[in-house]
Amino acid sequence: MAATLNYDWNVTWMTANPDGMMERPVIGINGQWPLPVLNFTRGDRVIAKVHNGLGNESTSIHWHGFYQNGTNEMDGPPHVTQCDIPPGATMVYNFTVDQTGTYWYHSHSRGQYPEGLRQALVITDPENPYAGQYDEELVLTLSDWYHDQFRYLLEGFISVTNPTGAEPVPNSALMNDTQDLMIPVEQGKTYLLRLANVGAFASQYFWIEGHTLRIVEVDGVWTDAAETDMIYITSAQRYSVLVTMKNETSQNYAMVGSMDTELFDSLPPTLNYNVTGWLVYNDQAEKSAPAELSSFNPYDDFNLRPVDGMECLPDADYTVTLNMKMDNLGDGANYAFFNNRTYVMPKVPTLYSVLTTGSAATDPAIYGTDSLAYVLEKNDVVDIILNNGDDGKHPFHLHGRNFQLIYRSPENAGHFDASNPPPFATVPMRRDTVTLEPLGNFVLRFRADNPGVWLFHCHIEWHMDSGLVAAFIEAPLDIQRSITIPDDHLQVCSTGGFMTAGNAAGNTEDLYDLTGENRAPPPLPEGFTPGGIVALVFSCIAAVLGMIFIVWYGMAPITTQIPTRRFSDPPEEVGE
Amino acid sequence: MSSDVFAVPVFFICFRECIETSIIVAVLFSFLHQALGSDREAGIRKRLIRQVWFGIALGLFICLCIGGGMIGAFYSYGKDYFASAEFLWEGIFALVASVIITVMGAALLRVNKLQEKWRVKLERALTEKHWSGATFKDRCKRWLQQYFMFVVPFITVLREGIEAVVFIGGVSLSFPASAFPLPVITGLLAGALVGYIIYRGGNQTSLQIFLVISTCLLYLVAAGLCTRGVWYLENNTWNHLVGGETAEMGAGPGSYDIRQSVWHVNCCSPLKGGGGGWGIFNAILGWTNSATYGSVLSYNFYWLVVILWFVLMRYKENHGHFPLLGSSQNRPSNCDGPGPEIIECTGGMTISGENKAMNPMAPRLHTASV
């Protein structure tokens, strides 16, 4: 029984103090923060009317993990599938829900969702394979939290004074946007705990003392139940776990989210990187602090097996190899790179370029020099090989689908050796956000059966904003046949003064003329520039000239005035 | 590497101070040989020469103690204190050292003037009347006169030695303790050698050439110190801006402020891994792999100032006053006597030989010393 869910949202600033340490501005919806957890059912139509009441910032809503099959324009990322919604403007997201599981929605505007515009979202599955095996569902979000506004932190992050690209360290961790969360539970019951990391940066280890977690879903994909004591959940990942309660009520049990401090450049001594909540069996009993762990041993999600048993897709028709690294550009700031390019948003949203460039839409060149556009052909099997040139972990997210993770190397494995590939998983785990190990690699596989422009990016917001993004333009000619941009979307563009047609630079005449496009800063000058050579030559000349004068003075006959009668000092005393 | 065992500025400081001392000592010795040259006076000459050596030895010993103590104290306490703001202090000390070397460097080119001045001083001292009073002051003066040949070298060595210690202290922060012994010893030896050459009245022209070359080197070092000082100060500011992380960047991007950069090469850093040959290049010529506007401008400006200064000094030597400052005070007609006699000598070290003729007061030494 499909329903139509109408939402009328006014997105505004308000203040909140979720960790009890600092009141700060947050972005709420209709005067509410934490934001409402949304509940959809497969087959529902969602019509969300989003009004930007922020006054000082543009906004957007991305429905994280949604396939948006046939509705690519509703996906959310500004300058990709829509224009940024300027203050005062309204945009309607209108799509049907054709999937199930745990998801979340968040702003996709630059550096905005960590201000609070993010929340979990659950899509009920009428054909739930675990129906009857649990009594109740609970939603639990984990998040890092900053006391300063992200947009100001971002200015300091992408800056000449942060040449190492050290990400600001969060000030605390949150569980359901609070701390010391109490969840009343009943003995003997089994709960489906839907976990979502809606944070900007930090991955979290999650465990419940005295209880075993049975993983049954990742990122909307039902999996065979896998038992573990602990999971590792990166920013943007979701897990559903079945937890069975004990048959006695003498004790309460701590559940802990612990931020992965290896991601942090420094560990401030005042930082509490854990957030604790309790399964409350007995309100009278003590809620004791969790025991400290000497090491973390989370479940490796690579070993999960989807319930549907979908086998590894056939060999790839098209392989995209992305080598990522962090480096500095000519403005001195640190940026993130795929294949030596750092992503810069085009002037015209890429989807709009697809729709207005006719047959040229199949040529990645028109989408801009620094747009990292890759054009995929309809129904091709595509491999993405990602080689991590950085010594940090990165959670990568692909819009518009889940993918098969067919191979993932351990740390420090270096580049993927395509000429001598390792065996791939036979029934690979599928999800939409996956961890890349430090200096390691992975291979993702999917079938390009969902025409649209889909971003592939690191879901650490810092890295997303410093350019760790690629855009897959999937079956552009099919997009042209199937998608029309709604008038209210175009209205948003005209309100914001954005171009809506032509190549990345907005040129509709010569699609290969990218004059005026948005570009990344120039590279750092290599070695001696002409100016540097002139300076060096001048310095050498100055030194030589100076020495010539010293020689001239030193070898000159010394003319001294010696008084014959008075033994006064000579008129000049040098160096005495 | 090499800059860890040989601190070039320290060498030059020792060299210069030692030259100064040895010139004075040389003047004294020449004096004694001229005034007490005959066999009849051999006994008293020997005694006075012993006095001179004793004065030198005592002065040297005292200032070595002071210097050793200062350097020891500095490295046991000061280094930790300064380490927190290392670049700031290195910058300040480099600039101070640059000024010190610059100001004292020119004197090397005019050591013969120094010699002249000292001879005059000596003569004056020896021709003063005898004090026969019984006041403390008079007794002191009498004692001073009696042990003149001890007091002068002692005071000279002490003064120059302490000067050297202070100057070395000024440039020392840039170097580890291991970089001191070698340049100190070689500097002293070289200075003594020059003093000896002056005493023996050796080849004056080649000595002058040697001094000119030394001075050129000295000023190259000072220019390098000047530019390094500015560079260190700028780097200190940069370190504060980025939160003290440039060390972890090595010589790569982020180790320098791109906004100030004139050139930057990722190789050839004088700071990384001891610097190697680039460290020497840096110590002597002020090389940096990461030049800034400040460091380049200060280098060029330094040379400009030096050139102007030398031109002015030469002008004053020729005209007796600086340009535009008038010349009335030094005009011969204004003097009491027949006026100053202009003499010219090419790097002339005029101790031996004609000295006797120029020194009518010398015989009095005999009476003064008994």
Side-chain angles (χ1 to χ4, degrees):
Chain A
M1 253 276 280
T4 299
L5 304 168
N6 280 291
Y7 297 96
D8 195 348
W9 287 347
N10 186 14
V11 176
T12 57
W13 285 108
M14 44 194 292
T15 59
N17 184 5
D19 61 3
M21 289 193 277
M22 175 122 154
E23 183 103 356
R24 58 153 287 172
V26 296
I27 297 177
I29 288 177
N30 297 339
Q32 185 184 346
W33 196 92
L35 303 183
V37 176
L38 303 182
N39 286 289
F40 302 162
T41 305
R42 183 173 196 161
D44 284 350
R45 169 163 293 274
V46 173
I47 301 174
K49 193 173 154 198
V50 177
H51 175 73
N52 180 354
L54 293 172
N56 62 347
E57 278 189 29
S58 297
T59 192
S60 57
I61 300 289
H62 168 55
W63 311 86
H64 186 111
F66 279 56
Y67 305 155
Q68 300 285 13
N69 194 305
T71 50
N72 183 220
E73 74 279 15
M74 303 300 173
D75 190 43
H79 297 273
V80 180
T81 62
Q82 66 168 72
C83 296
D84 231 351
I85 309 170
T90 304
M91 180 179 270
V92 178
Y93 293 93
N94 181 342
F95 54 91
T96 52
V97 179
D98 190 23
Q99 59 200 111
T100 65
T102 313
Y103 297 87
W104 61 306
Y105 63 101
H106 62 85
S107 166
H108 216 286
S109 298
R110 185 179 170 83
Q112 192 175 62
Y113 84 77
E115 318 277 32
L117 188 46
R118 78 282 184 284
Q119 185 54 289
L121 180 169
V122 174
I123 308 173
T124 304
D125 188 353
E127 292 154 28
N128 182 349
Y130 290 96
Q133 294 187 34
Y134 59 89
D135 302 287
E136 246 182 83
E137 287 190 15
L138 296 168
V139 175
L140 204 62
T141 63
L142 297 168
S143 176
D144 46 25
W145 191 247
Y146 291 91
H147 288 166
D148 294 312
Q149 280 193 53
F150 205 86
R151 54 179 176 152
Y152 299 127
L153 292 172
L154 201 52
E155 283 169 18
F157 171 66
I158 302 177
S159 155
V160 65
T161 57
N162 183 25
T164 56
E167 302 85 1
V169 177
N171 298 97
S172 54
L174 302 178
M175 192 180 277
N176 276 1
D177 287 325
T178 185
Q179 293 184 330
D180 301 327
L181 178 73
M182 302 293 167
I183 299 184
V185 294
E186 287 177 44
Q187 57 172 311
K189 275 192 171 179
T190 297
Y191 292 87
L192 180 75
L193 207 53
R194 293 184 181 271
L195 289 157
N197 186 337
V198 298
F201 178 23
S203 304
Q204 297 204 24
Y205 296 96
F206 177 84
W207 69 96
I208 303 176
E209 293 194 332
H211 292 71
T212 300
L213 312 174
R214 279 191 295 149
I215 303 168
V216 293
E217 181 227 326
V218 279
D219 297 357
V221 178
W222 292 112
T223 67
D224 292 349
E227 282 198 5
T228 181
D229 292 326
M230 181 184 287
I231 56 172
Y232 182 79
I233 177 165
T234 71
S235 170
Q237 284 187 334
R238 290 90 61 207
Y239 282 86
S240 285
V241 294
L242 290 173
V243 189
T244 301
M245 298 300 113
K246 297 186 180 297
N247 278 318
E248 43 99 20
T249 60
S250 63
Q251 211 182 328
N252 298 318
Y253 292 88
M255 47 186 180
V256 188
S258 182
M259 294 197 286
D260 180 1
T261 54
E262 277 179 38
L263 297 166
F264 301 159
D265 193 69
S266 62
L267 193 57
T270 55
L271 173 67
N272 178 10
Y273 48 85
N274 294 329
V275 59
T276 308
W278 282 270
L279 295 181
V280 181
Y281 284 79
N282 178 352
D283 209 22
Q284 310 305 315
E286 196 187 346
K287 284 140 195 124
S288 47
E292 287 208 13
L293 299 184
S294 56
S295 66
F296 297 109
N297 190 17
Y299 190 83
D300 181 357
D301 62 339
F302 186 83
N303 299 327
L304 293 170
R305 187 181 186 279
V307 166
D308 59 24
M310 180 180 162
E311 290 185 5
C312 185
L313 289 166
D315 284 350
D317 303 303
Y318 183 65
T319 300
V320 177
T321 303
L322 298 172
N323 300 321
M324 74 157 269
K325 65 165 183 180
M326 307 290 184
D327 205 352
N328 299 65
L329 285 180
D331 61 354
N334 194 279
Y335 292 87
F337 297 79
F338 278 140
N339 297 346
N340 294 319
R341 291 214 177 275
T342 184
Y343 180 83
V344 174
M345 288 177 179
K347 284 186 167 169
V348 176
T350 306
L351 175 63
Y352 295 9
S353 286
V354 171
L355 296 173
T356 55
T357 51
S359 58
T362 55
D363 189 337
I366 66 157
Y367 298 107
T369 313
D370 295 318
S371 299
L372 285 134
Y374 293 87
V375 173
L376 307 179
E377 283 191 36
K378 177 102 200 261
N379 287 327
D380 269 2
V381 172
V382 179
D383 275 1
I384 300 174
I385 298 172
L386 182 47
N387 297 310
N388 188 353
D390 180 63
D391 58 4
K393 287 178 198 159
H394 297 271
F396 276 95
H397 169 49
L398 177 59
H399 287 215
R401 59 168 37 83
N402 52 49
F403 46 75
Q404 295 181 327
L405 177 63
I406 60 173
Y407 176 75
R408 178 166 59 196
S409 81
E411 277 184 46
N412 299 316
H415 282 204
F416 181 77
D417 183 1
S419 62
N420 184 23
F424 293 136
T426 47
V427 182
M429 183 267 299
R430 300 199 307 278
R431 63 188 313 168
D432 62 44
T433 308
V434 65
T435 313
L436 175 62
E437 294 294 331
L439 297 168
N441 62 72
F442 65 47
V443 185
L444 312 180
R445 183 168 288 182
F446 61 89
R447 190 179 289 282
D449 54 5
N450 188 12
V453 179
W454 309 111
L455 283 190
F456 177 69
H457 63 89
C458 178
H459 220 293
I460 290 176
E461 185 63 20
W462 303 115
H463 300 160
M464 163 106 189
D465 296 333
S466 66
L468 201 46
V469 182
F472 290 103
I473 296 147
E474 193 169 326
L477 300 180
D478 287 76
I479 301 174
Q480 290 174 358
R481 283 192 286 272
S482 61
I483 287 179
T484 317
I485 304 298
D487 286 342
D488 67 298
H489 286 215
L490 294 172
Q491 181 59 41
V492 161
C493 296
S494 68
T495 307
F498 299 113
M499 291 185 279
T500 54
N503 64 16
N507 192 328
T508 50
E509 304 291 319
D510 181 356
L511 297 175
Y512 292 91
D513 179 5
L514 289 162
T515 311
E517 65 169 333
N518 293 337
R519 288 298 309 270
L524 274 176
E526 283 285 336
F528 282 98
T529 56
I533 293 169
V534 168
L536 188 60
V537 167
F538 255 90
S539 301
C540 292
I541 291 173
V544 169
L545 266 182
M547 284 188 288
I548 287 173
F549 272 86
I550 292 172
V551 172
W552 164 75
Y553 177 81
M555 296 308 284
I558 295 169
T559 324
T560 314
Q561 299 176 336
I562 296 187
T564 46
R565 288 286 155 86
R566 297 167 67 219
F567 289 121
S568 61
D569 284 336
E572 171 206 359
E573 292 185 46
V574 175
E576 272 289 298
Chain B
M1 283 285 292
S2 353
S3 61
D4 289 344
V5 293
F6 199 91
V8 182
V10 172
F11 169 80
F12 277 110
I13 288 167
C14 286
F15 177 52
R16 194 208 102 120
E17 301 299 342
C18 188
I19 284 185
E20 222 172 304
T21 314
S22 55
I23 285 171
I24 293 158
V25 172
V27 170
L28 287 175
F29 279 144
S30 304
F31 222 87
L32 290 174
H33 279 287
Q34 288 155 23
L36 308 165
S38 65
D39 290 343
R40 190 170 54 84
E41 295 158 321
I44 191 170
R45 188 177 70 221
K46 262 189 181 161
R47 204 188 66 194
L48 290 177
I49 286 177
R50 222 178 15 248
Q51 265 193 28
V52 171
W53 280 117
F54 186 62
I56 293 172
L58 194 64
L60 199 63
F61 177 74
I62 291 176
C63 69
L64 276 182
C65 289
I66 294 174
M70 266 182 70
I71 288 172
F74 176 74
Y75 277 97
S76 48
Y77 305 110
K79 204 73 181 175
D80 291 338
Y81 176 72
F82 289 134
S84 57
E86 197 187 336
F87 276 18
L88 177 65
W89 286 108
E90 287 210 38
I92 291 170
F93 279 82
L95 285 177
V96 167
S98 171
V99 170
I100 289 172
I101 293 178
T102 306
V103 170
M104 76 181 200
L108 263 187
L109 294 172
R110 289 293 182 266
V111 279
N112 39 10
K113 251 190 202 173
L114 210 64
Q115 184 188 7
E116 194 62 38
K117 196 181 88 181
W118 267 92
R119 207 183 62 221
V120 169
K121 273 189 180 173
L122 220 65
E123 281 170 353
R124 187 167 52 183
L126 292 172
T127 50
E128 301 263 318
K129 68 174 176 75
H130 290 256
W131 290 275
S132 47
T135 63
F136 179 70
K137 197 178 164 193
D138 285 344
R139 267 187 297 168
C140 279
K141 284 187 174 167
R142 203 163 51 234
W143 185 87
L144 267 177
Q145 201 150 32
Q146 199 167 358
Y147 294 101
F148 186 76
M149 285 297 158
F150 163 76
V151 172
V152 168
F154 173 69
I155 295 291
T156 306
V157 170
L158 201 59
R159 196 181 65 101
E160 303 294 340
I162 288 174
E163 200 171 295
V165 165
V166 170
F167 287 177
I168 289 172
V171 299
S172 64
L173 196 90
S174 328
F175 304 99
S178 61
F180 286 84
L182 210 56
V184 167
I185 292 166
T186 50
L188 291 178
L189 286 179
L193 185 70
V194 170
Y196 185 72
I197 292 170
I198 292 171
Y199 174 63
R200 301 302 298 175
N203 187 331
Q204 304 301 340
T205 314
S206 49
L207 179 67
Q208 192 66 13
I209 287 171
F210 172 75
L211 289 174
V212 164
I213 291 171
S214 311
T215 312
C216 284
L217 270 174
L218 199 57
Y219 277 83
L220 276 176
V221 169
L225 280 169
C226 178
T227 180
R228 273 166 68 200
V230 171
W231 187 89
Y232 274 125
L233 291 183
E234 289 188 331
N235 220 262
N236 177 57
T237 314
W238 173 240
N239 272 348
H240 280 285
L241 277 176
V242 302
E245 275 186 32
T246 58
E248 102 180 28
M249 319 276 319
S255 64
Y256 61 101
D257 188 347
I258 182 71
R259 297 167 298 185
Q260 302 293 330
S261 183
V262 177
W263 73 71
H264 182 94
V265 283
N266 289 350
C267 70
C268 323
S269 166
L271 296 177
K272 200 177 171 188
W278 298 108
I280 302 175
F281 208 20
N282 172 261
I284 299 179
L285 298 174
W287 159 257
T288 171
N289 64 313
S290 186
T292 61
Y293 287 111
S295 66
V296 168
L297 286 177
S298 61
Y299 191 79
N300 286 281
F301 190 67
Y302 174 86
W303 281 113
L304 190 68
V305 168
V306 165
I307 290 169
L308 279 175
W309 186 44
F310 273 86
V311 168
L312 286 177
M313 282 197 301
R314 185 71 193 139
Y315 183 93
K316 195 183 174 195
E317 277 179 3
N318 284 334
H319 298 89
H321 62 89
F322 287 116
L324 309 175
L325 286 182
S327 56
S328 58
Q329 288 169 337
N330 293 318
R331 204 163 282 157
S333 56
N334 282 8
C335 293
D336 298 343
E341 169 197 356
I342 308 286
I343 63 157
E344 273 204 355
C345 46
T346 34
M349 303 299 143
T350 55
I351 287 293
S352 47
E354 82 257 56
N355 218 24
K356 222 161 206 165
M358 285 175 64
N359 189 3
M361 276 55 147
R364 289 210 190 166
L365 188 62
H366 183 69
T367 41
S369 57
V370 280

